[in-house]
Amino acid sequence: MPAYEMNFDGLVGPTHNYGGLSYGNVASQSNSNAVSNPQEAAKQGLAKMKALMDMGFKQGVLAPQERPDVAALRRLGFTGSDVEVIQRAAREAMPLLVASCSASSMWTANACTVSPSADTADGRVHFTAANLNCKFHRSIEHPTTSRVLQAMFASDAHFAHHPALPAVAQFGDEGAANHTRFCKGYGDAGVEFFVYGRSAFDSRYPEPMRYPARQTLEASQAVARLHGLSEAGVVYAQQNPAVIDQGVFHNDVIAVGNGEVLFHHQDAFLEADKVLAELREKLARCGGHFQAVCVPSSAVSVQDAVKSYLFNSQLLTRADGRMLLVVPDECKGNPRVWRYLQQLTASGGPIAEVRVFDLKQSMQNGGGPACLRLRVALNERELAAVNPGVVMSHELHDTLVAWVDKHYRDRLSEADLADPQLLSECRTALDELTQILKLGSVYPFQLN
Ligand code: SUG
């Protein structure tokens, strides 16, 4: 049966702002308190979705979340009407209001981990929402993420949904940003590659000294168990703690895989030779021929990789079987990275083409092309079971652009987050969005 990879991009929410919330994410920290442009952010994302759809790739959209998250502020002790909750938080604890306003759910690579049906014991596509418990502003995403995913992938016969892992540091889980799947064809059984930053229970694993390692080995193992993956179909690797300390807060900032290809930096993993050999051997058992494209530090330093987001690219298989790398504009702006990319596409290797997108609004918070999308491999029957409301089309694209123009501000500073008007603007916009995307009621304000 034919099978495809479908990319579900996060639609940037109306409160997109620069809160400086992610310690260990260099861009987020260095743009703290800059004035954002939510309208431009959403349109940059939609332009990428449209371009990939126009190139023939299957494209979907994942809805943003209700922000400010008044319920989260109530759990922290702020009381009164919704507007009073926001005003009290602004007066007494501005950092908490900022966190409750983050549009961070746009980075849907962190929404969940997905295992295609060809890999799972019960032959269904499995989703585990990520608890994202390393950062408060992200830890509040998973309940709505779960409801949105269930509204998108509703059929019990085809899709299985697991709630987020227990929200404690031992099970820190950042979803698909630390997960890649290798396969011959998207419908074939493949090898799922889980990359973790530390072990919660075994002190023999080295840890970074400066920045947090967000993903634990134990979380990755739990997800593999929940999804019913076989031992032969899983490889675990530890991220190099030295690169986490240089700002590589997720593995997708230093590596990306697709099909039989892993595009990675030389310093991405500990015991890289052993890891690559295991991937090669396990993929061979699935009939695939593993190919690693390793970028040496002499060509691109870790610092250049973090600044340009070279590896936070989308690696997509074109109709002719060769691959396209979708990179952010910042790669073009870095002479060493750009030179490397010219050589790469001319080398006759698997990566034949590079396309550049302007995603500056998201990039300034540390979110590149790969962060903005969740990959779901689907066979034809599963594809037919996806909620058609979230499948990108020219009509949906145009409707969403008009919706953004109608509801989004083109400037948002920290002070604006305390504006009670913003809450009603966002709820009005999201209520309309759930109708456009045919999601039903998924937001707290729609459920109460
Ligand atoms: O979790 N930034 C996100 C970026 C996530 C990128 N995702 C992937 N690499 N897959 C994070 O650090 C910054 C928000 C702020 O500072 O306003 C933020 O949450």
Side-chain angles (χ1 to χ4, degrees), residues 17-25 27-29 32 98 102-104 107-110 132 135 137-138 141 174 176-178 214 249-253 309 312 362 364-368 370-372:
N17 72 94
Y18 298 115
L21 300 171
S22 280
Y23 180 65
N25 167 343
S28 153
Q29 289 188 271
S32 178
V98 174
S102 177
S104 53
W107 300 298
T108 55
N110 304 118
L132 298 173
K135 311 279 175 209
H137 71 289
R138 304 224 58 185
E141 291 175 29
E174 300 276 320
N178 294 320
R214 298 194 195 183
F249 57 97
H250 288 138
N251 178 58
D252 70 2
V253 177
Y309 261 39
N312 199 263
S362 166
Q364 291 183 153
N365 252 340
C371 299
L372 285 162

